[in-house]
Amino acid sequence: MPNIAYNVAVAFDLERGTVNLLHLFHSRKHNTIIMQHWMICALLLFLVFCDVSAQRKKKTVQTLSRGWGDDITWVQTYEEGLSKAVESKKPLMIIHHLEDCPHSKGLKKAFAEHQTIQRLAKSDFIMLNLVHETTDTNLAPDGFYVPRILFVDPSLTVRADIAGKYANRMYTYEPSDVDFLAENMMKAKILLKDEHEDHDDL
């Protein structure tokens, strides 16, 4: 009988050991699954963070356009624009406007949708849009109104001869004037080229 009891006890202990081992196995498997879930969550959070950072960077870059054309490279300051105009030998185009001005908003929309203007601005001009006036009074030949667009050539001369249609505000443009503005951009480009060639002939 003691032998039988001993054998039963051993069998019971072995069974308990098997149960404990199975419990330990399942416990570890459960912990592994939890860890995998945490790792996946951490990875997803990292990817979301990277995406948000990229979007913030993109928005930061595009804020210089202020809606005038996100594909255009805009300079941040008047001084930077002058420097780049000299360096690149391209005319500087300066748009004075205000964010809450309905006339500025109307021109901005037409400007951003005009393919020729966008192409010229992207390839042939140094571009700057300003919501604050500069200290250069040459940029206000007939007053400090908005919207107002002027051109400065690489010799740092404000081209007051390139004007809009209106005698009382010579450098303003209405949304319906964007074709005329495109012509003035071509004029600024051609005048610069012609004057540069004349200078080379001397």
Side-chain angles (χ1 to χ4, degrees), residues 47-174:
L47 292 174
V48 169
F49 175 77
C50 289
D51 185 60
V52 169
S53 298
Q55 289 296 327
R56 283 182 179 173
K57 185 176 180 182
K58 186 177 180 182
K59 287 180 180 178
T60 301
V61 172
Q62 292 181 356
T63 53
L64 291 178
S65 78
R66 298 187 178 93
W68 291 87
D70 290 338
D71 292 332
I72 298 169
T73 300
W74 298 88
V75 295
Q76 190 165 4
T77 65
Y78 181 45
E79 291 73 21
E80 182 188 358
L82 293 176
S83 175
K84 285 189 177 291
V86 173
E87 181 185 337
S88 66
K89 301 190 184 314
K90 293 180 180 180
L92 169 63
M93 181 175 177
I94 305 170
I95 305 169
H96 293 85
H97 66 106
L98 290 175
E99 296 286 1
D100 58 351
C101 168
H103 301 289
S104 295
K105 287 180 179 179
L107 180 60
K108 180 195 299 185
K109 184 175 185 297
F111 186 99
E113 292 175 353
H114 199 284
Q115 292 184 2
T116 301
I117 285 177
Q118 292 290 302
R119 177 176 53 79
L120 287 169
K122 187 176 180 180
S123 61
D124 298 306
F125 289 85
I126 304 301
M127 297 297 297
L128 171 66
N129 70 80
L130 294 172
V131 291
H132 301 290
E133 294 290 344
T134 70
T135 56
D136 188 353
T137 56
N138 293 310
L139 294 179
D142 62 344
F144 295 91
Y145 53 84
V146 293
R148 186 171 89 253
I149 298 177
L150 287 115
F151 299 91
V152 182
D153 69 26
S155 71
L156 305 185
T157 302
V158 176
R159 299 306 301 249
D161 55 326
I162 304 177
K165 294 180 175 181
Y166 310 102
N168 60 331
R169 292 189 172 190
M170 294 177 62
Y171 305 99
T172 197
Y173 296 85
E174 297 289 338

Side-chain angles (χ1 to χ4, degrees), residues 36-51:
Q36 287 175 344
H37 286 171
W38 276 111
M39 288 176 66
I40 291 170
C41 289
L43 180 61
L44 288 173
L45 285 172
F46 175 75
L47 292 174
V48 169
F49 175 77
C50 289
D51 185 60

Side-chain angles (χ1 to χ4, degrees), residues 1-6:
M1 287 297 292
N3 290 337
I4 294 173
Y6 175 77

Side-chain angles (χ1 to χ4, degrees), residues 15-33:
E15 185 179 350
R16 284 186 62 188
T18 305
V19 170
N20 287 338
L21 286 172
L22 286 172
H23 176 72
L24 180 62
F25 172 76
H26 287 299
S27 178
R28 286 182 177 176
K29 187 176 180 181
H30 179 68
N31 289 338
T32 302
I33 292 171

Side-chain angles (χ1 to χ4, degrees), residues 187-202:
K187 184 178 178 182
K189 178 183 171 183
I190 292 169
L191 281 174
L192 174 64
K193 182 180 178 183
D194 290 345
E195 290 170 6
H196 180 68
E197 288 176 351
D198 289 342
H199 181 71
D200 288 344
D201 292 338
L202 295 177

